[in-house]
């Protein structure tokens, strides 16, 4: 999720190479948007989209088969 948040495509490729994406693609976590705002239940795809990392987003969808309809817990 952190790699997606910061657009580290090479790390995501490496993770997908050594661990099947189905075990990691839909994991959920919390992201601090600001000191006052936190979003719960976000996925790596949400992080990549939110920060505008479109290449990362494409990798998560095409290689990782991320669910584009996944919602957050908030």
């Amino acid at each position: 999720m952190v790699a997606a948040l910061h657009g580290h495509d090479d790390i995501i490729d490496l993770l997908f190479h050594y661990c099947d994406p189905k075990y990691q693609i839909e994991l959920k976590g919390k992201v601090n948007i600001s000191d006052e705002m936190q979003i719960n239940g976000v996925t790596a795809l949400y992080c990549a989209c939110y920060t505008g990392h479109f290449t990362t987003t494409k990798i998560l969808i095409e290689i990782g088969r991320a669910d584009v309809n996944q919602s957050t817990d908030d």
Side-chain angles (χ1 to χ4, degrees), residues 25-74:
I25 198 70
E26 299 301 333
L27 294 175
K28 290 187 172 186
K30 297 178 184 178
V31 173
N32 292 324
I33 302 301
S34 66
D35 291 336
E36 299 86 29
M37 185 177 175
Q38 182 181 66
I39 300 176
N40 297 310
V42 298
T43 61
L45 180 62
Y46 183 94
C47 291
C49 289
Y50 184 82
T51 53
H53 296 294
F54 299 112
T55 304
T56 304
T57 300
K58 184 177 178 183
I59 291 169
L60 292 170
I61 293 169
E62 291 180 356
I63 297 173
R65 296 184 186 96
D67 181 0
V68 298
N69 296 311
Q70 184 74 261
S71 63
T72 64
D73 293 343
D74 290 339

Side-chain angles (χ1 to χ4, degrees), residues 8-38:
H8 295 295
D9 303 337
D10 53 338
I11 293 173
I12 293 169
D13 281 335
L14 186 67
L15 289 170
F16 285 172
H17 180 74
Y18 288 103
C19 183
D20 193 335
K22 71 180 180 181
Y23 297 114
Q24 52 190 329
I25 198 70
E26 299 301 333
L27 294 175
K28 290 187 172 186
K30 297 178 184 178
V31 173
N32 292 324
I33 302 301
S34 66
D35 291 336
E36 299 86 29
M37 185 177 175
Q38 182 181 66

